[in-house]
């Protein structure tokens, strides 16, 4: 059997790959085929299959695996950042209670009540954390905040639960927010700042 020239082999490969069976090739199959082609090209590069060709093939294999792992890690991290757990009180920003209050007042002045409600509850949460009335906040939901703060400040437990519901309604329930909801949270925030915890 006469060996095929490079151009003839490429033509036959293109004909083969244009058949309907290859139209729905999976990503893994495509990656494997590309990798096989790269290995073949690397070994063809060195005449007579010398050790240099084998070394080049091994180097390509290592580079391919490193690139694949890098892409998979990047995709996993991106996916983890994009999927914040429903109910998560904070959205990754590190702001002080005063900064959250300022943002809430600005949003309220603009009539953006849903966002103003969220920022005001974040101000409450940050203030309670700063005063060591609740534990650290990463991943904490509004309901968890209300339950934990309610143990330290039992006189405010019902109001904190109502504030958590208002936050969840506007953040996840599609409720547009209102001046009344914001006023309730602002009043609660101001009274909580003066409150002292009950000794356990």
């Amino acid at each position: 059997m006469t060996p095929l020239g490079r151009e003839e082999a490429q033509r036959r490969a293109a004909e083969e790959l244009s058949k309907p069976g290859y139209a729905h090739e999976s990503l893994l199959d495509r990656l494997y085929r590309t990798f096989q082609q790269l290995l073949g090209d690397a070994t063809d590069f060195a005449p007579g299959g010398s050790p240099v060709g084998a070394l080049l093939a091994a180097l390509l294999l290592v580079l391919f695996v490193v690139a694949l792992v890098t892409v998979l890690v990047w995709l996993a991290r991106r996916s983890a950042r994009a999927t914040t757990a429903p109910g998560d009180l904070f959205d990754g920003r590190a702001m002080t209670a005063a900064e959250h209050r300022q943002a809430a007042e600005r949003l309220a002045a603009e009539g953006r009540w849903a966002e103003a409600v969220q920022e005001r509850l974040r101000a409450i949460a940050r203030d309670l954390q700063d005063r060591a009335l609740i534990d650290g906040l990463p991943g904490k939901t509004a309901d968890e905040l209300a339950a934990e703060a309610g143990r330290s400040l039992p006189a405010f437990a019902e109001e904190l639960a109502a504030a958590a519901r208002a936050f969840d309604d506007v953040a996840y329930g599609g409720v547009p927010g209102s001046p009344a909801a914001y006023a309730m949270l602002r009043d609660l925030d101001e009274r909580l700042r003066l409150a002292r915890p009950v000794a356990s």
Side-chain angles (χ1 to χ4, degrees), residues 164-185:
R165 278 193 302 277
F167 177 92
D168 288 342
D169 286 347
V170 298
Y172 310 106
V175 175
S178 67
Y182 179 71
M184 180 264 292
L185 275 149

Side-chain angles (χ1 to χ4, degrees), residues 2-198:
T2 312
L4 295 175
R6 188 172 194 80
E7 289 164 6
E8 178 62 17
Q10 285 177 339
R11 186 187 65 75
R12 287 192 185 180
E15 283 176 9
E16 177 67 24
L17 292 173
S18 67
K19 291 180 181 176
Y22 292 99
H24 301 294
E25 185 178 26
S26 73
L27 177 63
L28 279 176
D29 289 340
R30 200 171 340 149
L31 284 171
Y32 179 72
R33 184 173 44 78
T34 302
F35 177 66
Q36 288 289 88
Q37 187 175 355
L38 283 171
L39 276 181
D41 289 349
T43 51
D44 288 347
F45 183 71
S50 71
V52 174
L55 184 63
L56 248 151
L59 181 63
L60 270 175
L61 173 64
V62 169
L63 288 175
F64 180 78
V65 168
V66 167
L68 185 63
V69 168
T70 302
V71 167
L72 291 174
V73 167
W74 178 77
L75 286 173
R77 285 184 179 168
R78 195 175 120 200
S79 168
R81 281 195 305 264
T83 56
T84 305
D88 191 4
L89 183 59
F90 285 87
D91 53 6
R93 297 172 300 155
M95 294 170 60
T96 66
E99 289 170 333
H100 282 296
R101 286 185 188 101
Q102 289 171 353
E105 287 297 312
R106 180 181 44 78
L107 291 163
E110 294 170 7
R112 295 163 58 186
W113 300 112
E115 295 161 281
V117 164
Q118 292 174 60
E119 285 302 317
R120 201 65 187 213
L121 189 65
R122 290 176 180 136
I124 290 171
R126 190 67 71 197
D127 186 66
L128 291 172
Q129 181 192 25
D130 291 346
R131 293 165 55 200
L133 296 176
I134 60 170
D135 290 333
L137 295 170
K140 192 179 293 289
T141 66
D143 291 329
E144 291 168 340
L145 159 77
E148 190 177 343
R151 287 190 290 275
S152 296
L153 302 165
F156 293 92
E158 285 183 27
E159 291 177 88
L160 285 161
R165 278 193 302 277
F167 177 92
D168 288 342
D169 286 347
V170 298
Y172 310 106
V175 175
S178 67
Y182 179 71
M184 180 264 292
L185 275 149
R186 184 180 55 213
D187 177 61
L188 176 61
D189 182 20
E190 289 169 3
R191 288 185 294 116
L192 282 171
R193 290 166 75 181
L194 303 173
R196 293 291 170 260
V198 172

